[in-house]
Amino acid sequence: AQSVAQPEDQVNVAEGNPLTVKCTYSVSGNPYLFWYVQYPNRGLQFLLKYITGDNLVKGSYGFEAEFNKSQTSFHLKKPSALVSDSALYFCAVRDIRDNNDMRFGAGTRLTVKP
Amino acid sequence: GAGVSQTPSNKVTEKGKYVELRCDPISGHTALYWYRQSLGQGPEFLIYFQGTGAADDSGLPNDRFFAVRPEGSVSTLKIQRTERGDSAVYLCASSSVGRSTDTQYFGPGTRLTVL
């Protein structure tokens, strides 16, 4: 079965600095990878996904993520953080052979300080 | 267009009671998913509907949990004889056809508290 690890519970960055939120995955076959963001009292909002093709995926709000098959990672990045990026970020994976079961990581709380 | 909506936003009940949680997916989406999110955790898959049928209910924790989607649109998650451990945020998501490449769009969730 597939699984996802987000090794950092919390990431703190200063506004204007680059940010990285880490994600590693484990699947039997090929992965489909997703990033979602959750603001307080709101549902998960889709940011971006990797299905196939270019390893660098660009998504909403200036975020991007790089699929690295050899390191089984899909880290989320942004060149210049905003205070409004402060939220809870979830990485998720689906095995290409399993249509239904999307596994989420435990989440990483990002705090961007002015 | 409108996103996924869930009602109620909050539900407080007593141990042993029955509750129903409702999900209205994005119009035209044939696939619907229920997840449960406990404090400090990521969402955990419960059940997946393709149209009116439950295509995969392997995530339901026990037989106190049941979900229906009689007309292929609105879905109701039903929990019988609630226990304190059922307290969590219940999230609903929908996607266009249910392919594994599809993006799932989530509702705001229902926060269930069992006293």
Side-chain angles (χ1 to χ4, degrees), chain A residues 32 34 36 38 43-44 46 49 51 90 94 96 98-102 104-106, chain B residues 33 35 37 40 42-43 45 48 56 91 98-104 106-108:
Chain A
Y32 296 145
F34 302 79
Y36 285 84
Q38 189 173 38
L44 279 75
F46 170 73
K49 65 183 178 183
I51 303 300
F90 290 96
R94 263 172 151 168
I96 193 172
D98 187 340
N99 193 41
N100 312 323
D101 191 0
M102 188 155 75
F104 284 82
Chain B
Y33 307 80
Y35 291 84
Q37 186 176 18
F45 169 78
Y48 157 61
D56 183 351
L91 297 170
R99 286 186 302 262
S100 51
T101 54
D102 285 352
T103 297
Q104 293 183 18
F106 283 79

Side-chain angles (χ1 to χ4, degrees), chain A residues 7-26:
Chain A
E8 301 157 317
D9 293 335
Q10 175 105 19
V11 170
N12 298 315
V13 298
E15 187 175 30
N17 283 0
L19 69 87
T20 298
V21 182
K22 295 180 180 178
C23 171
T24 58
Y25 66 89
S26 174

Side-chain angles (χ1 to χ4, degrees), chain B residues 16-57:
Chain B
K17 299 289 187 182
Y18 167 84
V19 296
E20 290 189 351
L21 312 179
R22 175 187 167 111
C23 172
D24 249 298
I26 292 172
S27 178
H29 279 191
T30 61
L32 185 146
Y33 307 80
W34 283 99
Y35 291 84
R36 179 169 68 177
Q37 186 176 18
S38 300
L39 195 63
Q41 303 290 324
E44 177 188 17
F45 169 78
L46 295 177
I47 186 170
Y48 157 61
F49 285 90
Q50 182 59 257
T52 60
D56 183 351
D57 64 357

Side-chain angles (χ1 to χ4, degrees), chain A residues 6 22-24 34 53 55 60 64 70 93 95-96 99 113:
Chain A
Q6 293 182 243
K22 295 180 180 178
C23 171
T24 58
F34 302 79
N55 289 343
S60 306
E64 59 188 29
S70 62
V93 66
D95 189 316
I96 193 172
N99 193 41
K113 298 184 177 178

